[in-house]
Amino acid sequence: MTEKSNRKIGKILAVAAICAAVAAGGFGVATAPGWANPAPESEAATPVRNEPGLAAPVVKAVELGVTPTDGAKGVNPAVAPSVKAVNGKLKDVVLAPAAGGAPVKGSTSADGSTWTALDPLLFNSVYNYSFTIVDEAGRETKKAQTFTTVESANEADAAVYPENGSTVGSGQPIEIVFSEPVANKAAVEKAVKISVSSKQPVAWHWYTDQRVRIRPEKFWASNSQVTVDMKLFGVDFGNGMIGNFNAKVQFKVGPQRLAVVDDLTKTMKVYFDGKLVKTAPVTLGDAEWLSPTGYAVIMEQERRSKFNAGSIGLKPGDKGYYPPLTVEYANRLTSSGVYVHQALQSAWGAVGRYNVSHGCVGLLPADAAWFFNNMKSGDVVQTLNTGAPAVEPLEGYGDWNIPWAQYAKR
């Protein structure tokens, strides 16, 4: 047999041997021969994967949601910062002012996937977040982020009257004066709840973007309780201004006390809860200084008050000028200086007969003392038949001279 024939027989026997092995249940073909493809890289050293592989299950990548986002500026301090991990859990979450101070208190969900801050933040502050995320295979990754809250220049504050715990008359409107203009009035009104024990509905009347008053259609019911609950922290006032406080103000209303002054009869009639309790003669403003008509509210009371003609634009030599003096039992009705007070002694003879004042309501001493001691701030004085216009709303509390339909319309 030639050498060429021998090589051919050898190859046939080798192929036959492989076929015999397969027929006998062998796995010679199951293991790819080295000359066909290179062997795959072993996964034994890294059994946990985030990308599909041949030998181990896939662990889903953790999806992270953080509020506020990293590097955010002008963050509303009322926002509730939070961290949420999808396909994982959180631990060691710390949110604290970068300048130092106690960390913000927070709560972690039962499944450990979400952390939410419980405390409000500070204005004009940098905050640092640090936390650890743990994926489903137990691998940990530490994270750190930062954000900055609204600057102090964008804080909005407010002052409220009546004061908390006070007792006022039935004509006293609620007044809120804001430190910054309010563009988003609807949001502010929604954030302030007015509760009245008498169930009287109220309306808001914005005189300016910073001053609003609130009153019912008719005077507050006697002995009612009024609560002004202001949840303004974090409220967007518009134009980048953010409310910086929450407050609750409660005040009580006394009896309905109304003094009706009539220039035709030169008398004052005082009613408590609709019952006439006092009648007294008066002198009002003369032809040069007519007393304003309509409703006014007692703004403040002074046992003795210093009057100065300069406050109403008079100077020495002017008609009607008087030197500085002190009046007794002064009850202010307007910012410009209309009062109910004891008439000067030189005017006592005019009381009940004719008018000699600069617009004020003058009473005899005993009546002035009674009025001062029995009427209170917030009580109402109505003046009739002087021929002068009504008290302007912002001249005091002339809100009651605005028809309800108009008052309640923004």
Side-chain angles (χ1 to χ4, degrees), residues 69-130:
T69 57
D70 190 21
K73 297 184 181 299
V75 172
N76 189 329
V79 69
S82 66
V83 185
K84 182 175 179 62
V86 178
N87 306 322
K89 294 184 178 181
L90 300 164
K91 72 175 190 177
D92 303 329
V93 181
V94 177
L95 175 62
V104 177
K105 294 180 182 177
S107 174
T108 303
S109 62
D111 64 1
S113 68
T114 304
W115 181 91
T116 305
L118 300 178
D119 292 339
L121 306 179
L122 302 173
F123 277 81
N124 197 33
S125 298
V126 177
Y127 279 86
N128 292 331
Y129 250 138
S130 65

Side-chain angles (χ1 to χ4, degrees), residues 55-300:
V58 174
V59 175
K60 294 180 180 178
V62 177
E63 297 177 16
L64 192 64
V66 184
T67 302
T69 57
D70 190 21
K73 297 184 181 299
V75 172
N76 189 329
V79 69
S82 66
V83 185
K84 182 175 179 62
V86 178
N87 306 322
K89 294 184 178 181
L90 300 164
K91 72 175 190 177
D92 303 329
V93 181
V94 177
L95 175 62
V104 177
K105 294 180 182 177
S107 174
T108 303
S109 62
D111 64 1
S113 68
T114 304
W115 181 91
T116 305
L118 300 178
D119 292 339
L121 306 179
L122 302 173
F123 277 81
N124 197 33
S125 298
V126 177
Y127 279 86
N128 292 331
Y129 250 138
S130 65
F131 49 88
T132 300
I133 55 176
V134 184
D135 71 9
E136 293 174 343
R139 294 178 298 182
E140 297 184 356
T141 304
K142 296 184 181 296
K143 293 280 187 180
Q145 296 190 9
T146 186
F147 63 87
T148 305
T149 57
V150 171
E151 296 180 357
S152 298
N154 293 86
E155 291 186 56
D157 204 344
V160 184
Y161 188 81
E163 297 177 347
N164 187 47
S166 62
T167 299
V168 298
S170 62
Q172 179 62 59
I174 300 166
E175 181 173 67
I176 306 177
V177 179
F178 297 94
S179 64
E180 308 295 336
V182 177
N184 194 357
K185 295 178 175 61
V188 168
E189 290 184 22
K190 184 178 180 181
V192 179
K193 305 296 183 184
I194 312 294
S195 302
V196 188
S197 62
S198 61
K199 308 301 181 184
Q200 291 172 272
V202 298
W204 292 56
H205 191 83
W206 291 85
Y207 289 99
T208 69
D209 286 343
Q210 291 180 249
R211 184 183 300 272
V212 66
R213 288 184 183 163
I214 305 162
R215 70 166 177 88
E217 181 175 4
K218 298 181 179 179
F219 303 131
W220 300 109
S222 293
N223 303 312
S224 53
Q225 300 276 350
V226 182
T227 300
V228 184
D229 190 4
M230 298 176 291
K231 298 189 183 306
L232 291 171
F233 186 85
V235 173
D236 185 352
F237 285 23
N239 298 322
M241 296 297 170
I242 304 296
N244 69 354
F245 75 103
N246 293 327
K248 183 179 287 187
V249 172
Q250 296 177 307
F251 63 91
K252 182 179 179 180
V253 178
Q256 284 194 346
R257 292 181 283 247
L258 170 65
V260 180
V261 178
D262 192 339
D263 193 21
L264 294 181
T265 61
K266 301 293 187 292
T267 60
M268 170 191 285
K269 294 182 181 294
V270 182
Y271 300 85
F272 286 4
D273 289 327
K275 181 180 178 181
L276 179 63
V277 296
K278 179 75 172 177
T279 301
V282 298
T283 182
L284 301 175
D286 63 20
E288 298 285 333
W289 301 89
L290 294 174
S291 298
T293 57
Y295 293 106
V297 173
I298 297 175
M299 301 173 66
E300 62 178 348

